[in-house]
Amino acid sequence: GTNEVPALAAESPARPVALGRSAAFRRILGRAEVGAAVGALLIWVVFAIAYWDVAPWWMLAAPAALHVVAILGFLWLAWAYPRDPEARSNEAWRWLYITCAGLTGIAYGGGGALLFHLPHPEPRILVAACLALTAALAPGRIYEPRSYVAFAGINLSLLAVAAFLSDDKMSLA
């Protein structure tokens, strides 16, 4: 009569490390973040409503398409990692995640920069507020700071360059 569970007694020393990696990536690639990433596509609907008669279709479609590619990357990571976490090193999985976050930053910041140069200044405040909000609320900022720096840094840098290059004095505020 021992109270020891046989499966736990048979664990190898490498097993806790794998469990630690798995737990970290499950947080990073969790359902809430994937849901937030898919929900983030709604930003393009908001921008389309704000710029309905002003922006050419490609100014919204091109960055939105890049954003969809990044979301598909996040979804692939959320699917691939749990199935075989040992397929890549811990650092390789992280860099794939950071790449997806960087692509999202390029999509947001690039889209914002394109829209910022359109003649009507009123929607610029909406664009700047939406992009600042996405940077402030990015789910990856807690679990993977490097991905947050890639996303928010690229996103807000592109938006800042567009604001500095615009002729609108309000954009510089």
Side-chain angles (χ1 to χ4, degrees):
T2 178
N3 291 335
E4 190 173 28
V5 178
L8 293 177
E11 282 186 349
S12 70
R15 181 82 173 132
V17 173
L19 286 174
R21 282 179 51 186
S22 180
F25 277 105
R26 281 200 180 99
R27 279 183 295 195
I28 291 172
L29 301 172
R31 289 177 196 228
E33 180 156 343
V34 171
V38 172
L41 291 171
L42 292 175
I43 196 168
W44 302 109
V45 175
V46 171
F47 289 170
I49 292 169
Y51 283 95
W52 186 255
D53 291 334
V54 181
W57 67 270
W58 61 267
M59 278 193 180
L60 293 164
L66 179 59
H67 190 198
V68 167
V69 168
I71 297 301
L72 290 173
F74 282 126
L75 292 174
W76 176 80
L77 285 169
W79 175 83
Y81 179 78
R83 280 162 182 68
D84 190 7
E86 301 302 322
R88 289 174 174 72
S89 70
N90 191 23
E91 208 49 31
W93 286 112
R94 287 183 188 276
W95 277 108
L96 288 170
Y97 183 85
I98 292 166
T99 299
C100 292
L103 289 174
T104 303
I106 292 169
Y108 279 179
L114 288 171
L115 295 173
F116 233 74
H117 288 288
L118 293 174
H120 300 287
E122 294 83 11
R124 290 180 191 160
I125 295 171
L126 174 70
V127 170
C130 285
L131 296 183
L133 190 61
T134 62
L137 299 177
R141 74 187 183 284
I142 297 169
Y143 304 117
E144 180 49 59
R146 294 177 292 178
S147 72
Y148 178 71
V149 168
F151 165 70
I154 294 169
N155 174 6
L156 297 178
S157 293
L158 290 172
L159 184 63
V161 168
F164 285 128
L165 295 176
S166 75
D167 292 333
D168 184 14
K169 302 294 183 220
M170 185 65 171
S171 297
L172 297 176

